Amino acid sequence: MIRNFALAALVAAGLGATAASAETIKLGNVAELSGSGATVGKAWTDAITMGVEEINAAGGVLGNQLELSSYDSQTDAQTSRALVQKAIDDGAFLILGTVYSGSTIVNMLVTQQQGIPQIVGSEAPAITQKGNPFIFRSSFGAHKSMPKIADYLKNGLGVSKVAVSWVNNEFGKGGHDAFVKEVTDRGIEVVADVSSEVAQADFAADVAKLKGSGAEAIFVYLHEEESARILRELNKQGVDVPIVGETTLLNQKVVELAGEAANGIMGHVGLTVDAPNPEIQEFGKRFSEKYGYKADHNAMKGYVAIYAAKTAIERAGELDRQKVADTLHSMTVKVSEVPNILLDVSWDETGEVSRESFLVEIQDGKSVVKDTLPAN
Amino acid sequence: MSEFMQVLISGLATGSIYALAAIGFTLLWQASQTINFAQGEFVMLQAFFVLIGMHVLGLALLPAIALALVVSVVLLGMVFKRVIIQPMLPHGVLPIVMATIGLAILMREMVKEFYSAEAQPFPSMFSESTFNVLGATVSYQDVGNLIVSAIAIVALQLFLGRTRTGRCMQATAQNPAVAEILGVNIQRMVLYTFMINAALATIASVLISPIYLAKFSIGEPIGLVAFLAAIVGGFNQVRGALAGGLLIGVIDNMSAAYLSSEYRIAGPMILLIVIILLRPQGLLGTSEGRTV
């Protein structure tokens, strides 16, 4: 009896799976849902989930519904690699994530070998420089954003000496190297170069070093939680030189965690929900109504990723992974055609993106867009 | 010079908080041969008790801390002792070690499940404004942390040395059999020790969470450092744990500032190895007899 029942259940499950795969496009989202990157992965995943629901409600892609499965990488590179493989085994047509560069560098080899397009939220320059034909970003690599920051330090702030605090992993090293190159090219001296570890809790010594360096500005390139901790410590030790950052430093979560210590920081942001564009504001409104918190750049990266996937599949015209990857290379999507892509965006042959970005300052716990910078 | 002072003061301030957790280690060891590997999670969990008090019950910071203190003394003091430690005590040290490691995992996962895996901001009791001492910028928060830890430790020492209950606790630690013959209620004294440990963990949590943020995973590094501090200072002396905590706090900061932040954890570890080789009983520990 039990055996018959189990058999029936198995057959039913099998039939269910077959029936589902005929009508759905499976997407595997591998993201940092726990561990030190939980803040990042949650926003990314929530936005993708929202995007998938919207797309399905509007009739899906090429008449097929999307079926999203999310996998928790635990912010661990090896786990993410195993889960990308699992997502592929589960039949994923396309992989979304991871966001942490250290994970992406490892797991993108799996999708490359098996020819599965992968859209990631990672920013380490190396990711699109390895000749992988299946990797695409939904936000800038650091080598695209650092020239904009270096220009701002030199021309906007008139700085000649800068200190840099960075996190010692793939993301941090990529950003650090790009930053140091760009500022040095512009004649700005790096007077303190302080690395820290992922999930580091105590920044007292780091800040003492930055403070004692005589820098005229401090550039912070850490993950969200560590950014909040260092901002609190900078405030605690009474550091009064400008604090400048790139995207993560100006994240809403950092502002929330750092409290008053975040006021006055400035930086370059690839995507911000405070941008004056109506499509972005509309997205921000829907997101916070659905999830009860404010969308950050990671959420926007996720949202752009899912709509990039949708647009690429539609333009490819069929469910052929190679064709979708070819379409994504040199694809340009305008907001006038696809409003949910948020900003006009182009992908190049390496999978790198180009689009406008923003100069932001935190005032009274809110990020205020000071300027819109053209695509480079 | 000012950078050195800065690093020294920050090191002492965080070191004093490590000392609170380390003292808890030595107290439990002294009273009942319990090595509590969930000590870091005890510190982590209190921050969430406070946050629940503030965000769910709508209390202000100080009443929320008071509530967390009571919950902690009951749950992590009395219930922990009665439900986990007492039944395992007759079986020796190892089952307790395993049980507390299991408890640590349970606490971490529960916070992750019921609160979230994300870090939460935690309000500070002290102003974040600063003043200057010998060129170093000192925050009221650092000074406040040092003072509160110092008060807690002095009060504990006075209680243990000057009150009847405190002396009974000392007697229990030194020789439970004789203490019992003399009419000391040993189980009650051990229970007091667990309650004191829970209270110290609450104080440590309230002091460190504004800096480290409240997060499920933050107990691990705190527990490790407190354990190191207790061993370095001497596992069987409260003042040893105090010295160990301060020393580890300062050395951690100094090695991050003057060696390399990549090797910052190496500083305290090297110290630990040197101490174990040269003075296995710890800096201020004694090799015979046990006192609280």
Side-chain angles (χ1 to χ4, degrees):
Chain A
M1 175 65 199
I2 290 174
R3 193 200 275 172
N4 284 346
F5 184 72
L7 202 64
L10 267 179
V11 170
L15 284 176
T18 324
S21 60
E23 300 166 2
T24 61
I25 302 172
K26 290 189 176 181
L27 300 176
N29 169 44
V30 181
E32 296 74 4
L33 296 175
S34 67
S36 59
T39 308
V40 170
K42 183 175 185 306
W44 163 270
T45 303
D46 281 350
I48 290 177
T49 309
M50 183 169 112
V52 167
E53 286 171 12
E54 288 170 4
I55 292 168
N56 283 341
V61 180
L62 298 177
N64 301 302
Q65 291 282 295
L66 297 179
E67 182 187 335
L68 179 73
S69 302
S70 290
Y71 304 81
D72 178 12
S73 78
Q74 301 169 16
T75 324
D76 175 66
Q78 294 310 323
T79 308
S80 78
R81 185 191 169 104
L83 288 175
V84 165
Q85 183 59 56
K86 182 170 190 320
I88 295 170
D89 293 345
D90 289 347
F93 177 78
L94 180 144
I95 299 290
L96 300 158
T98 41
V99 185
Y100 267 45
S101 302
S103 296
T104 302
I105 285 279
V106 175
N107 64 45
M108 65 190 240
L109 299 172
V110 179
T111 49
Q112 182 180 10
Q113 281 161 2
Q114 301 179 46
I116 315 277
Q118 181 180 11
I119 307 177
V120 302
S122 310
E123 289 168 10
I127 288 168
T128 50
Q129 293 168 353
K130 290 187 183 295
N132 180 338
F134 290 95
I135 198 83
F136 303 90
R137 284 189 218 273
S138 62
S139 66
F140 296 129
H143 56 297
K144 283 264 190 181
S145 49
M146 292 308 169
K148 297 186 183 186
I149 294 172
D151 280 340
Y152 173 64
L153 283 171
K154 182 158 176 68
N155 305 324
L157 295 175
V159 165
S160 64
K161 284 189 282 187
V162 67
V164 51
S165 163
W166 51 287
V167 56
N168 190 11
N169 64 6
E170 197 65 47
F171 159 81
K173 269 191 287 228
H176 165 265
D177 295 351
F179 175 79
V180 170
K181 178 182 174 296
E182 295 298 334
V183 290
T184 314
D185 286 353
R186 287 164 178 75
I188 300 173
E189 188 190 350
V190 178
V191 288
D193 199 341
V194 182
S195 73
S196 56
E197 295 304 311
V198 177
Q200 183 170 316
D202 194 336
F203 281 92
D206 305 66
V207 169
K209 266 205 268 189
L210 296 170
K211 193 182 166 191
S213 68
E216 293 157 5
I218 295 172
F219 178 69
V220 177
Y221 201 65
L222 304 173
H223 293 296
E224 279 79 355
E225 284 171 18
E226 294 87 320
S227 292
R229 293 191 187 112
I230 202 170
L231 287 176
R232 280 175 170 249
E233 191 63 41
L234 284 161
N235 187 42
K236 217 172 88 178
Q237 293 193 22
V239 175
D240 50 10
V241 299
I243 299 163
V244 179
E246 214 291 307
T247 307
T248 30
L249 185 72
L250 299 130
N251 185 334
Q252 191 57 35
K253 185 74 189 172
V254 175
V255 175
E256 185 190 311
L257 288 173
E260 283 181 15
N263 288 337
I265 58 172
M266 289 168 271
H268 167 260
V269 172
L271 289 163
T272 168
V273 77
D274 297 309
N277 314 43
E279 295 79 14
I280 294 180
Q281 303 221 324
E282 173 60 27
F283 160 76
K285 203 167 130 244
R286 282 200 311 275
F287 187 92
S288 52
E289 275 170 12
K290 184 169 168 63
Y291 294 110
Y293 69 99
K294 189 177 167 184
D296 65 356
H297 71 280
N298 291 308
M300 297 176 76
K301 282 186 208 173
Y303 198 69
V304 169
I306 185 68
Y307 275 95
K310 171 185 186 273
T311 311
I313 295 171
E314 282 176 348
R315 289 193 184 173
E318 58 180 307
L319 289 175
D320 178 324
R321 293 186 174 105
Q322 184 64 51
K323 266 198 175 163
V324 169
D326 291 344
T327 310
L328 261 166
H329 286 299
S330 69
M331 181 169 90
T332 296
V333 186
K334 293 205 175 299
V335 172
S336 52
E337 305 156 355
V338 184
N340 304 74
I341 208 79
L342 304 179
L343 283 168
D344 292 355
V345 57
S346 306
W347 279 264
D348 69 9
E349 276 309 311
T350 64
E352 184 62 54
V353 291
S354 283
R355 70 178 153 227
E356 284 180 344
S357 57
F358 306 94
L359 204 59
V360 165
E361 182 176 345
I362 305 296
Q363 294 172 352
D364 294 327
K366 293 199 166 57
S367 60
V368 177
V369 174
K370 305 290 260 187
D371 202 359
T372 303
L373 306 171
N376 61 353
Chain B
M1 182 60 197
S2 71
E3 187 181 318
F4 179 81
M5 281 298 294
Q6 191 86 61
V7 174
L8 182 70
I9 291 169
S10 302
L12 285 174
T14 29
S16 68
I17 304 171
Y18 295 155
L20 291 175
I23 287 171
F25 257 122
T26 63
L27 283 177
L28 296 195
W29 171 250
Q30 286 295 94
S32 62
Q33 272 85 67
T34 299
I35 302 179
N36 180 18
F37 275 101
Q39 189 76 351
E41 277 67 28
F42 274 34
V43 175
M44 175 273 293
L45 195 62
Q46 317 291 334
F48 287 93
F49 288 159
V50 175
L51 288 180
I52 288 170
M54 289 177 71
H55 299 152
V56 179
L57 307 177
L59 300 172
L61 179 60
L62 285 178
I65 292 173
L67 177 75
L69 195 66
V70 174
V71 172
S72 160
V73 166
V74 172
L75 212 60
L76 302 181
M78 293 159 81
V79 176
F80 174 56
K81 192 249 174 190
R82 290 253 159 85
V83 176
I84 297 179
I85 301 302
Q86 206 158 308
M88 296 221 170
L89 214 46
H91 306 294
V93 174
L94 211 53
I96 292 182
V97 168
M98 305 310 286
T100 54
I101 290 175
L103 182 66
I105 297 171
L106 179 74
M107 284 168 149
R108 277 202 296 275
E109 295 303 317
M110 272 169 60
V111 168
K112 203 160 93 179
E113 192 60 37
F114 292 115
Y115 215 96
S116 92
E118 293 184 48
Q120 310 289 328
F122 192 91
S124 173
M125 285 195 293
F126 310 105
S127 148
E128 288 189 1
S129 53
T130 56
F131 59 95
N132 280 305
V133 181
L134 297 173
T137 312
V138 181
S139 69
Y140 287 100
Q141 195 180 356
D142 277 350
V143 177
N145 287 351
L146 263 172
I147 291 175
V148 172
S149 314
I151 290 174
I153 291 164
V154 168
L156 175 68
Q157 287 288 37
L158 287 177
F159 172 71
L160 291 177
R162 301 280 168 87
T163 65
R164 190 180 153 73
T165 315
R167 288 205 201 97
C168 288
M169 287 170 69
Q170 299 246 33
T172 308
Q174 280 168 11
N175 195 329
V178 175
E180 194 161 26
I181 292 166
L182 291 174
V184 175
N185 185 341
I186 293 189
Q187 284 308 327
R188 170 158 296 183
M189 294 305 135
V190 173
L191 180 65
Y192 288 162
T193 320
F194 277 76
M195 289 161 70
I196 291 173
N197 176 52
L200 288 176
T202 311
I203 299 171
S205 183
V206 169
L207 296 181
I208 206 153
S209 298
I211 307 168
Y212 281 21
L213 307 173
K215 189 176 179 186
F216 75 96
S217 58
I218 212 69
E220 264 173 296
I222 296 174
L224 177 69
V225 170
F227 192 54
L228 288 184
I231 294 174
V232 165
F235 224 96
N236 55 8
Q237 290 287 339
V238 167
R239 60 174 186 275
L242 172 64
L246 293 175
L247 197 62
I248 298 265
V250 171
I251 287 184
D252 180 39
N253 268 289
M254 291 282 173
S255 48
Y258 297 112
L259 292 174
S260 149
S261 54
E262 289 158 42
Y263 294 106
R264 67 183 303 164
I265 192 67
M269 287 295 182
I270 291 169
L271 176 75
L272 175 73
I273 293 169
V274 171
I275 296 276
I276 287 177
L277 285 176
L278 300 179
R279 241 187 106 72
Q281 70 270 39
L283 284 176
L284 300 176
T286 45
S287 46
E288 77 284 297
R290 290 185 283 111
T291 55
V292 167

